[in-house]
Amino acid sequence: MITAAIIGIILLYILSGAYKGFLWGIYVLGASIISCALAFALMGPISSAIRNNEYIYNSMLSYTEGAESIYDVELRKVPIDEISDDELEEVMERSDLVFPLRDSVYKNITLKRFESEGIVTLGDYFNESLVRVIINIASFIIVYLVLRVISTFIICWADYTFNFKKIRKADFALGGAIGLLRGMLGLAVIFMFVPILLTILSFDSIRDMVEGNTLAAFFHNSNLLLMLIPGK
């Protein structure tokens, strides 16, 4: 089912690119890349605004429940300075956090990133790390989608007004190739929802469905956009 959905999305992008042509596809791909760049640039201020809203922030803390991932209840109360490297490795191994949450939590703990904010216990580091990554991902997605809607409207208006020219011989093939690239980027954005869904809706069936599918696991675990999301 997931495989069919992923392949179907890619085919739709390819067919759309082949139909619309190379020039239109280049404009849309460029708009997508620029939207990604701007989303990363604007993600910080928006994330800060969300964290400064006490109601939203506390609600997200209660939904993510990062400390629940720690297998030993007593360890949640222990300051990270008193956690040995071996203990931390075991905690991370048994936490079963999805990408990129696990990496972010581990880095925040080893670098003591929240020490200046009075966050010292292992449980608080898990709570704080998870909610911040989730907020950063959500902020990126919101900005990206808004920019893509605006840019798509502008490109469609320009195409209707100026009627983008098509390359006579290779326009169909080149447009399809650009559509494939757009499809890969579009799926990368779609799979940014995975860490959020698997954290808030912590159902094993959903996780098994994603991790047990080769294509889904690839777009999730090899997702460059998720790799670039800051954990603090």
Side-chain angles (χ1 to χ4, degrees):
M1 180 178 174
I2 295 181
T3 300
I6 292 173
I7 293 175
I9 290 172
I10 293 176
L11 286 176
L12 283 175
Y13 272 100
I14 292 174
L15 292 173
S16 171
Y19 175 75
K20 283 292 193 176
F22 175 75
L23 190 58
W24 184 88
I26 281 291
Y27 285 145
V28 175
L29 179 61
S32 298
I33 294 172
I34 292 172
S35 295
C36 280
L38 289 175
F40 277 115
L42 298 173
M43 175 178 58
I46 293 178
S47 296
S48 297
I50 294 174
R51 290 200 302 270
N52 290 333
N53 186 306
E54 189 174 345
Y55 175 76
I56 296 177
Y57 186 70
N58 289 335
S59 297
M60 295 191 72
L61 273 175
S62 64
Y63 277 115
T64 54
E65 296 180 331
E68 296 295 321
S69 300
I70 302 173
Y71 71 94
D72 189 334
V73 177
E74 294 302 319
L75 280 175
R76 300 173 188 174
K77 307 172 187 177
V78 178
I80 59 172
D81 287 335
E82 299 178 16
I83 303 290
S84 68
D85 291 342
D86 290 338
E87 285 178 320
L88 181 57
E89 290 291 341
E90 184 179 4
V91 168
M92 299 310 303
E93 186 66 30
R94 297 177 64 174
S95 66
D96 211 26
L97 294 174
V98 299
F99 175 81
L101 303 179
R102 179 179 173 180
D103 294 342
S104 296
V105 171
Y106 184 77
K107 288 179 182 177
N108 288 340
I109 293 173
T110 54
L111 297 176
K112 301 178 182 178
R113 282 176 168 166
F114 306 139
E115 189 174 35
S116 61
E117 301 177 33
I119 297 172
V120 295
T121 66
L122 187 63
D124 286 342
Y125 259 87
F126 265 74
N127 287 332
E128 194 70 22
S129 297
L130 258 65
V131 76
R132 292 200 185 195
V133 177
I134 295 298
I135 289 174
N136 287 338
I137 294 173
S139 299
F140 175 92
I141 292 173
I142 291 170
V143 176
Y144 176 83
L145 292 178
V146 170
L147 293 175
R148 282 295 291 116
V149 169
I150 295 173
S151 61
T152 298
F153 175 79
I154 293 173
I155 292 171
C156 289
W157 171 81
D159 187 21
Y160 177 79
T161 304
F162 303 107
N163 192 17
F164 296 153
K165 293 181 180 180
K166 295 186 177 183
I167 305 171
R168 292 181 181 178
K169 293 183 178 180
D171 196 70
F172 183 85
L174 290 174
I178 295 298
L180 175 61
L181 295 177
R182 289 173 45 229
M184 298 293 283
L185 180 56
L187 283 168
V189 174
I190 290 172
F191 273 86
M192 292 185 78
F193 285 97
V194 170
I196 299 176
L197 293 175
L198 293 183
T199 300
I200 297 176
L201 304 174
S202 54
F203 299 128
D204 291 337
S205 58
I206 299 177
R207 179 166 185 160
D208 292 341
M209 193 164 48
V210 173
E211 295 185 348
N213 183 279
T214 303
L215 283 177
F218 169 78
F219 280 105
H220 173 216
N221 296 319
S222 302
N223 195 316
L224 179 60
L225 299 179
L226 285 177
M227 292 179 187
L228 296 175
I229 293 292
K232 58 179 181 177

